[in-house]
Amino acid sequence: MLVNKVSLNKEITDCLGKYIEDTLKTWFRYTVKTPLSYEEFSAWEVPDHEIESAIKCGLPLSEEIETPSTIRVKNILKAKSITNSFAYSPMSAMYWHTNSNMLGTRIYYTFSLDKAVFKYRDPNTGQIHEDWDNIGWTAREFEITKEKPLWHCVWSSGRRFSFGFVR
């Protein structure tokens, strides 16, 4: 499988959980202007080229991507870099994208309070897969390459927090 759910590391979930609590004032009242239903999200077609302006989604948990919490997790994972720390509002999504500007093995820790899905297209078969988050913590790992970009998008019915790292 291209996208693998991986075992959770309690030290990481504790650290990121505290970070979510510490940033409560940043994301607590954040909502999307136009809520997006799962049906509307499901109708999205995979684009034929990267759309940089359509990627923006969620609210960064901090003005700085490197915070004591994310740096600690980066070190635990032996990651090269931190890609994001976002809060998603209920009924929000991130449009199809490939992250082809930052190659390597991606690992995402997400915390979902309600139903959320990570959707991707298999670059070998073209088949679309939906990988639903656990309520609570989920960790996923996948490879980003130039040769076979992994198109993916996300939808969440409730609050969802996403922390990305590249190894």
Side-chain angles (χ1 to χ4, degrees):
M1 175 165 283
L2 293 169
V3 176
N4 296 307
K5 283 189 176 161
V6 296
S7 298
L8 296 170
N9 176 314
K10 184 166 177 3
E11 186 177 359
I12 291 174
T13 57
D14 287 349
C15 182
L16 296 176
K18 181 164 180 354
Y19 186 39
I20 291 168
E21 289 174 17
D22 291 347
T23 58
L24 175 76
K25 289 182 181 174
T26 301
W27 56 262
F28 179 71
R29 297 192 191 284
Y30 174 64
T31 59
V32 291
K33 289 182 182 178
T34 307
L36 183 75
S37 71
Y38 173 73
E39 292 72 25
E40 292 168 308
F41 166 77
S42 292
W44 286 355
E45 303 259 339
V46 180
D48 58 5
H49 64 283
E50 193 77 56
I51 303 170
E52 291 297 326
S53 62
I55 291 176
K56 295 182 178 90
C57 158
L59 177 74
L61 292 177
S62 169
E63 288 183 24
E64 297 296 323
I65 198 161
E66 293 205 359
T67 66
S69 295
T70 58
I71 291 169
R72 182 172 166 208
V73 172
K74 175 184 163 187
N75 292 335
I76 294 167
L77 291 171
K78 296 179 177 51
K80 291 185 277 188
S81 62
I82 304 161
T83 61
N84 67 48
S85 56
F86 281 132
Y88 288 77
S89 288
M91 306 306 283
S92 67
M94 180 178 285
Y95 193 67
W96 287 103
H97 61 288
T98 65
N99 296 122
S100 60
N101 61 331
M102 195 174 293
L103 306 177
T105 301
R106 284 292 177 96
I107 185 158
Y108 280 91
Y109 267 74
T110 59
F111 186 81
S112 297
L113 297 175
D114 206 339
K115 290 188 271 186
V117 64
F118 177 88
K119 189 172 176 178
Y120 65 97
R121 183 179 71 187
D122 183 322
N124 298 311
T125 66
Q127 184 176 359
I128 303 294
H129 298 272
E130 289 189 347
D131 187 13
W132 289 86
D133 286 4
N134 302 319
I135 300 298
W137 288 104
T138 303
R140 289 184 182 85
E141 189 173 75
F142 54 94
E143 191 73 23
I144 300 294
T145 68
K146 279 273 187 217
E147 298 78 29
K148 293 185 176 183
L150 182 71
W151 283 96
H152 56 284
C153 57
V154 174
W155 175 82
S156 185
S157 65
R159 294 260 179 230
R160 181 183 193 262
F161 303 88
S162 174
F163 302 90
F165 303 86
V166 174
R167 291 202 257 198

